[in-house]
Amino acid sequence: RLAGGGTDGLMAAPVPRAGEMAELVTRLPYDGRIRHLRDATYFHWRYANPLRRYLFLYAGSTGLDGYLVLQHPLGLQHGRASIVDWEAADDAVLERLLSEVVSAGFPELYAWGSACRPGAADLLARSGFVPATAEYEKTILVRPIRDEEIKSPCPLGTRRLDRGEDWDLRMIYSLAG
């Protein structure tokens, strides 16, 4: 059972607090990776997907210090859950959010460690997550519009479009969750 709004500053809800989530993202330091614009419009739109059910876990008493989004495919009550997005003002908040979700006892719980901020993959490992052995997690397919550009390195500023580590990828952006 996830937090219901107790004194620990954690609260679970079935709807996104899109404005507060967007404001938290803008407060956080940007590490330079290529990423989606995560503003309130995006969060409202993304979490209106009728093919998935979401549960939002929020941290913070007076303002939003962090959030974690769980996704369930429709029709499953207590099966697979995926952490499709999470952000926090600091590592302690991130750890509290993850600890709450892990202690909820989902039979299957998934997360993408490669998409996390530095140190979060270690937090996942300490919490009992086991890395997938498939190399596809580090692969991204990018195709130029013009055929003559196929062999170019695909630069975007100091980042390369063809290097997975240059992207801030989250499970919510995929069909995998």
Side-chain angles (χ1 to χ4, degrees):
R1 187 173 157 209
L2 294 176
T7 57
D8 60 359
L10 296 179
M11 185 180 91
V15 295
R17 290 165 43 184
E20 291 176 81
M21 293 165 70
E23 191 275 326
L24 172 64
V25 169
T26 61
R27 278 191 291 142
L28 299 176
Y30 174 52
D31 65 6
R33 291 181 294 164
I34 303 162
R35 67 181 189 184
H36 278 270
L37 172 63
R38 293 185 299 152
D39 60 9
T41 301
Y42 168 78
F43 284 123
H44 278 296
W45 168 80
R46 189 66 193 95
Y47 293 114
N49 180 352
L51 301 177
R52 298 285 191 247
R53 184 176 58 225
Y54 301 101
L55 180 65
F56 301 86
L57 184 60
Y58 300 110
S61 305
T62 57
L64 192 62
D65 294 324
Y67 67 84
L68 185 148
V69 183
L70 286 173
Q71 175 180 282
H72 296 271
L74 287 179
L76 294 178
Q77 294 296 326
H78 302 290
R80 175 184 176 145
S82 299
I83 298 171
V84 294
D85 196 7
W86 57 332
E87 284 291 3
D90 59 46
D91 289 342
V93 173
L94 201 65
E95 188 166 358
R96 282 182 47 226
L97 289 164
L98 184 61
S99 177
E100 181 74 15
V101 169
V102 168
S103 68
F106 290 98
E108 296 179 57
L109 184 60
Y110 298 87
W112 282 3
S114 61
C116 299
R117 66 206 244 180
D122 291 337
L123 175 59
L124 287 169
R126 287 193 314 271
S127 298
F129 285 80
V130 179
T133 56
E135 189 61 28
Y136 69 85
E137 283 194 5
K138 297 177 185 172
T139 304
I140 186 166
L141 175 63
V142 177
R143 175 146 187 352
I145 295 172
R146 293 187 281 273
D147 287 338
E148 62 269 14
E149 296 177 347
I150 286 178
K151 295 185 183 194
S152 73
C154 302
L156 181 64
T158 60
R159 300 293 181 161
R160 286 184 45 166
L161 297 176
D162 59 347
R163 287 194 339 212
E165 60 269 15
D166 282 349
W167 289 81
D168 180 350
L169 298 175
R170 294 160 189 271
M171 198 181 300
I172 192 62
Y173 305 154
S174 78
L175 300 174

PDB file of all heavy atoms in Angstrom, residues 33-36 84 112 114-116 137 139-140 164 167-173:
ATOM      1  N   ARG A  33      21.765  16.539 -21.466  1.00  0.00           N
ATOM      2  CA  ARG A  33      21.305  15.483 -22.369  1.00  0.00           C
ATOM      3  C   ARG A  33      20.086  15.955 -23.161  1.00  0.00           C
ATOM      4  O   ARG A  33      19.336  16.815 -22.728  1.00  0.00           O
ATOM      5  CB  ARG A  33      20.952  14.221 -21.581  1.00  0.00           C
ATOM      6  CG  ARG A  33      22.161  13.538 -20.964  1.00  0.00           C
ATOM      7  CD  ARG A  33      21.787  12.283 -20.213  1.00  0.00           C
ATOM      8  NE  ARG A  33      20.960  12.642 -19.052  1.00  0.00           N
ATOM      9  CZ  ARG A  33      20.225  11.768 -18.376  1.00  0.00           C
ATOM     10  NH1 ARG A  33      20.182  10.505 -18.731  1.00  0.00           N
ATOM     11  NH2 ARG A  33      19.517  12.160 -17.340  1.00  0.00           N
ATOM     12  N   ILE A  34      19.879  15.360 -24.314  1.00  0.00           N
ATOM     13  CA  ILE A  34      18.733  15.656 -25.168  1.00  0.00           C
ATOM     14  C   ILE A  34      17.494  15.094 -24.483  1.00  0.00           C
ATOM     15  O   ILE A  34      17.492  13.938 -24.048  1.00  0.00           O
ATOM     16  CB  ILE A  34      18.915  15.008 -26.549  1.00  0.00           C
ATOM     17  CG1 ILE A  34      20.220  15.492 -27.193  1.00  0.00           C
ATOM     18  CG2 ILE A  34      17.715  15.307 -27.446  1.00  0.00           C
ATOM     19  CD1 ILE A  34      20.704  14.612 -28.331  1.00  0.00           C
ATOM     20  N   ARG A  35      16.454  15.914 -24.378  1.00  0.00           N
ATOM     21  CA  ARG A  35      15.259  15.446 -23.677  1.00  0.00           C
ATOM     22  C   ARG A  35      14.016  16.155 -24.188  1.00  0.00           C
ATOM     23  O   ARG A  35      14.091  17.176 -24.851  1.00  0.00           O
ATOM     24  CB  ARG A  35      15.401  15.666 -22.173  1.00  0.00           C
ATOM     25  CG  ARG A  35      15.431  17.117 -21.761  1.00  0.00           C
ATOM     26  CD  ARG A  35      15.590  17.270 -20.271  1.00  0.00           C
ATOM     27  NE  ARG A  35      15.411  18.649 -19.859  1.00  0.00           N
ATOM     28  CZ  ARG A  35      15.576  19.071 -18.639  1.00  0.00           C
ATOM     29  NH1 ARG A  35      15.935  18.228 -17.698  1.00  0.00           N
ATOM     30  NH2 ARG A  35      15.385  20.336 -18.331  1.00  0.00           N
ATOM     31  N   HIS A  36      12.886  15.582 -23.831  1.00  0.00           N
ATOM     32  CA  HIS A  36      11.596  16.199 -24.123  1.00  0.00           C
ATOM     33  C   HIS A  36      11.434  17.469 -23.298  1.00  0.00           C
ATOM     34  O   HIS A  36      11.977  17.569 -22.189  1.00  0.00           O
ATOM     35  CB  HIS A  36      10.444  15.269 -23.699  1.00  0.00           C
ATOM     36  CG  HIS A  36      10.122  14.209 -24.688  1.00  0.00           C
ATOM     37  ND1 HIS A  36       9.214  14.383 -25.687  1.00  0.00           N
ATOM     38  CD2 HIS A  36      10.575  12.949 -24.809  1.00  0.00           C
ATOM     39  CE1 HIS A  36       9.117  13.279 -26.388  1.00  0.00           C
ATOM     40  NE2 HIS A  36       9.930  12.391 -25.875  1.00  0.00           N
ATOM     41  N   VAL A  84       7.838   4.782 -14.677  1.00  0.00           N
ATOM     42  CA  VAL A  84       8.011   5.365 -16.009  1.00  0.00           C
ATOM     43  C   VAL A  84       8.606   6.768 -15.976  1.00  0.00           C
ATOM     44  O   VAL A  84       9.096   7.261 -16.984  1.00  0.00           O
ATOM     45  CB  VAL A  84       6.689   5.354 -16.808  1.00  0.00           C
ATOM     46  CG1 VAL A  84       6.267   3.922 -17.111  1.00  0.00           C
ATOM     47  CG2 VAL A  84       5.589   6.116 -16.102  1.00  0.00           C
ATOM     48  N   TRP A 112      13.990   1.887 -15.660  1.00  0.00           N
ATOM     49  CA  TRP A 112      15.137   2.025 -16.546  1.00  0.00           C
ATOM     50  C   TRP A 112      16.238   2.743 -15.797  1.00  0.00           C
ATOM     51  O   TRP A 112      16.176   3.947 -15.575  1.00  0.00           O
ATOM     52  CB  TRP A 112      14.776   2.838 -17.774  1.00  0.00           C
ATOM     53  CG  TRP A 112      14.009   2.123 -18.825  1.00  0.00           C
ATOM     54  CD1 TRP A 112      13.535   0.843 -18.795  1.00  0.00           C
ATOM     55  CD2 TRP A 112      13.611   2.660 -20.090  1.00  0.00           C
ATOM     56  NE1 TRP A 112      12.878   0.555 -19.949  1.00  0.00           N
ATOM     57  CE2 TRP A 112      12.905   1.651 -20.763  1.00  0.00           C
ATOM     58  CE3 TRP A 112      13.780   3.884 -20.705  1.00  0.00           C
ATOM     59  CZ2 TRP A 112      12.376   1.839 -22.032  1.00  0.00           C
ATOM     60  CZ3 TRP A 112      13.248   4.067 -21.962  1.00  0.00           C
ATOM     61  CH2 TRP A 112      12.570   3.053 -22.615  1.00  0.00           C
ATOM     62  N   SER A 114      19.267   3.202 -16.916  1.00  0.00           N
ATOM     63  CA  SER A 114      20.085   3.981 -17.847  1.00  0.00           C
ATOM     64  C   SER A 114      19.511   5.370 -18.087  1.00  0.00           C
ATOM     65  O   SER A 114      20.203   6.251 -18.579  1.00  0.00           O
ATOM     66  CB  SER A 114      20.207   3.240 -19.180  1.00  0.00           C
ATOM     67  OG  SER A 114      18.931   3.068 -19.760  1.00  0.00           O
ATOM     68  N   ALA A 115      18.261   5.573 -17.742  1.00  0.00           N
ATOM     69  CA  ALA A 115      17.626   6.865 -17.992  1.00  0.00           C
ATOM     70  C   ALA A 115      17.674   7.784 -16.773  1.00  0.00           C
ATOM     71  O   ALA A 115      17.215   8.906 -16.840  1.00  0.00           O
ATOM     72  CB  ALA A 115      16.172   6.651 -18.396  1.00  0.00           C
ATOM     73  N   CYS A 116      18.206   7.304 -15.701  1.00  0.00           N
ATOM     74  CA  CYS A 116      18.175   8.063 -14.461  1.00  0.00           C
ATOM     75  C   CYS A 116      19.324   9.065 -14.388  1.00  0.00           C
ATOM     76  O   CYS A 116      20.287   8.991 -15.110  1.00  0.00           O
ATOM     77  CB  CYS A 116      18.301   7.120 -13.270  1.00  0.00           C
ATOM     78  SG  CYS A 116      16.976   5.936 -13.163  1.00  0.00           S
ATOM     79  N   GLU A 137      19.030  -1.761 -24.264  1.00  0.00           N
ATOM     80  CA  GLU A 137      18.782  -0.621 -23.392  1.00  0.00           C
ATOM     81  C   GLU A 137      19.707   0.550 -23.702  1.00  0.00           C
ATOM     82  O   GLU A 137      19.420   1.671 -23.353  1.00  0.00           O
ATOM     83  CB  GLU A 137      18.965  -1.013 -21.928  1.00  0.00           C
ATOM     84  CG  GLU A 137      17.803  -1.779 -21.385  1.00  0.00           C
ATOM     85  CD  GLU A 137      17.859  -1.858 -19.878  1.00  0.00           C
ATOM     86  OE1 GLU A 137      18.736  -1.244 -19.267  1.00  0.00           O
ATOM     87  OE2 GLU A 137      17.012  -2.544 -19.320  1.00  0.00           O
ATOM     88  N   THR A 139      20.706   1.351 -26.811  1.00  0.00           N
ATOM     89  CA  THR A 139      20.614   1.596 -28.240  1.00  0.00           C
ATOM     90  C   THR A 139      19.479   2.557 -28.539  1.00  0.00           C
ATOM     91  O   THR A 139      18.410   2.470 -27.955  1.00  0.00           O
ATOM     92  CB  THR A 139      20.360   0.265 -28.986  1.00  0.00           C
ATOM     93  OG1 THR A 139      21.396  -0.644 -28.651  1.00  0.00           O
ATOM     94  CG2 THR A 139      20.327   0.480 -30.480  1.00  0.00           C
ATOM     95  N   ILE A 140      19.757   3.452 -29.480  1.00  0.00           N
ATOM     96  CA  ILE A 140      18.718   4.363 -29.940  1.00  0.00           C
ATOM     97  C   ILE A 140      18.835   4.440 -31.456  1.00  0.00           C
ATOM     98  O   ILE A 140      19.932   4.448 -32.011  1.00  0.00           O
ATOM     99  CB  ILE A 140      18.849   5.757 -29.287  1.00  0.00           C
ATOM    100  CG1 ILE A 140      17.676   6.629 -29.683  1.00  0.00           C
ATOM    101  CG2 ILE A 140      20.172   6.408 -29.621  1.00  0.00           C
ATOM    102  CD1 ILE A 140      17.551   7.877 -28.833  1.00  0.00           C
ATOM    103  N   GLY A 164      23.268   6.757 -27.217  1.00  0.00           N
ATOM    104  CA  GLY A 164      22.229   6.634 -26.199  1.00  0.00           C
ATOM    105  C   GLY A 164      22.504   7.412 -24.931  1.00  0.00           C
ATOM    106  O   GLY A 164      21.595   7.959 -24.322  1.00  0.00           O
ATOM    107  N   TRP A 167      21.137  11.023 -24.449  1.00  0.00           N
ATOM    108  CA  TRP A 167      19.689  11.228 -24.355  1.00  0.00           C
ATOM    109  C   TRP A 167      19.204  11.025 -22.922  1.00  0.00           C
ATOM    110  O   TRP A 167      19.676  10.143 -22.220  1.00  0.00           O
ATOM    111  CB  TRP A 167      18.959  10.228 -25.247  1.00  0.00           C
ATOM    112  CG  TRP A 167      19.101  10.484 -26.698  1.00  0.00           C
ATOM    113  CD1 TRP A 167      20.171  10.144 -27.505  1.00  0.00           C
ATOM    114  CD2 TRP A 167      18.157  11.128 -27.544  1.00  0.00           C
ATOM    115  NE1 TRP A 167      19.922  10.543 -28.786  1.00  0.00           N
ATOM    116  CE2 TRP A 167      18.690  11.139 -28.844  1.00  0.00           C
ATOM    117  CE3 TRP A 167      16.897  11.680 -27.327  1.00  0.00           C
ATOM    118  CZ2 TRP A 167      18.012  11.697 -29.920  1.00  0.00           C
ATOM    119  CZ3 TRP A 167      16.224  12.222 -28.408  1.00  0.00           C
ATOM    120  CH2 TRP A 167      16.789  12.231 -29.685  1.00  0.00           C
ATOM    121  N   ASP A 168      18.249  11.810 -22.500  1.00  0.00           N
ATOM    122  CA  ASP A 168      17.535  11.604 -21.241  1.00  0.00           C
ATOM    123  C   ASP A 168      16.258  10.857 -21.616  1.00  0.00           C
ATOM    124  O   ASP A 168      15.242  11.451 -21.941  1.00  0.00           O
ATOM    125  CB  ASP A 168      17.204  12.948 -20.592  1.00  0.00           C
ATOM    126  CG  ASP A 168      16.461  12.813 -19.273  1.00  0.00           C
ATOM    127  OD1 ASP A 168      16.022  11.684 -18.942  1.00  0.00           O
ATOM    128  OD2 ASP A 168      16.296  13.833 -18.584  1.00  0.00           O
ATOM    129  N   LEU A 169      16.357   9.525 -21.634  1.00  0.00           N
ATOM    130  CA  LEU A 169      15.233   8.683 -22.035  1.00  0.00           C
ATOM    131  C   LEU A 169      14.516   8.152 -20.802  1.00  0.00           C
ATOM    132  O   LEU A 169      15.143   7.710 -19.855  1.00  0.00           O
ATOM    133  CB  LEU A 169      15.724   7.524 -22.887  1.00  0.00           C
ATOM    134  CG  LEU A 169      16.380   7.905 -24.195  1.00  0.00           C
ATOM    135  CD1 LEU A 169      16.939   6.684 -24.896  1.00  0.00           C
ATOM    136  CD2 LEU A 169      15.394   8.628 -25.090  1.00  0.00           C
ATOM    137  N   ARG A 170      13.219   8.187 -20.853  1.00  0.00           N
ATOM    138  CA  ARG A 170      12.395   7.697 -19.759  1.00  0.00           C
ATOM    139  C   ARG A 170      11.403   6.682 -20.314  1.00  0.00           C
ATOM    140  O   ARG A 170      10.972   6.795 -21.448  1.00  0.00           O
ATOM    141  CB  ARG A 170      11.668   8.853 -19.098  1.00  0.00           C
ATOM    142  CG  ARG A 170      12.665   9.780 -18.417  1.00  0.00           C
ATOM    143  CD  ARG A 170      12.132  11.158 -18.161  1.00  0.00           C
ATOM    144  NE  ARG A 170      13.225  12.002 -17.714  1.00  0.00           N
ATOM    145  CZ  ARG A 170      13.566  12.119 -16.421  1.00  0.00           C
ATOM    146  NH1 ARG A 170      12.891  11.519 -15.485  1.00  0.00           N
ATOM    147  NH2 ARG A 170      14.586  12.882 -16.093  1.00  0.00           N
ATOM    148  N   MET A 171      11.041   5.723 -19.499  1.00  0.00           N
ATOM    149  CA  MET A 171      10.137   4.686 -19.955  1.00  0.00           C
ATOM    150  C   MET A 171       8.810   5.260 -20.440  1.00  0.00           C
ATOM    151  O   MET A 171       8.177   4.711 -21.323  1.00  0.00           O
ATOM    152  CB  MET A 171       9.903   3.646 -18.850  1.00  0.00           C
ATOM    153  CG  MET A 171       9.333   2.358 -19.376  1.00  0.00           C
ATOM    154  SD  MET A 171       9.004   1.085 -18.125  1.00  0.00           S
ATOM    155  CE  MET A 171      10.584   0.797 -17.403  1.00  0.00           C
ATOM    156  N   ILE A 172       8.390   6.393 -19.912  1.00  0.00           N
ATOM    157  CA  ILE A 172       7.129   6.998 -20.319  1.00  0.00           C
ATOM    158  C   ILE A 172       7.157   7.391 -21.796  1.00  0.00           C
ATOM    159  O   ILE A 172       6.123   7.493 -22.445  1.00  0.00           O
ATOM    160  CB  ILE A 172       6.762   8.207 -19.422  1.00  0.00           C
ATOM    161  CG1 ILE A 172       5.317   8.645 -19.663  1.00  0.00           C
ATOM    162  CG2 ILE A 172       7.721   9.359 -19.621  1.00  0.00           C
ATOM    163  CD1 ILE A 172       4.279   7.610 -19.342  1.00  0.00           C
ATOM    164  N   TYR A 173       8.332   7.584 -22.382  1.00  0.00           N
ATOM    165  CA  TYR A 173       8.438   7.948 -23.785  1.00  0.00           C
ATOM    166  C   TYR A 173       8.305   6.735 -24.706  1.00  0.00           C
ATOM    167  O   TYR A 173       8.269   6.885 -25.913  1.00  0.00           O
ATOM    168  CB  TYR A 173       9.785   8.605 -24.090  1.00  0.00           C
ATOM    169  CG  TYR A 173      10.154   9.800 -23.252  1.00  0.00           C
ATOM    170  CD1 TYR A 173      11.481  10.141 -23.056  1.00  0.00           C
ATOM    171  CD2 TYR A 173       9.192  10.600 -22.648  1.00  0.00           C
ATOM    172  CE1 TYR A 173      11.844  11.236 -22.305  1.00  0.00           C
ATOM    173  CE2 TYR A 173       9.551  11.697 -21.888  1.00  0.00           C
ATOM    174  CZ  TYR A 173      10.882  12.014 -21.720  1.00  0.00           C
ATOM    175  OH  TYR A 173      11.246  13.086 -20.966  1.00  0.00           O
TER     176      TYR A 173
END
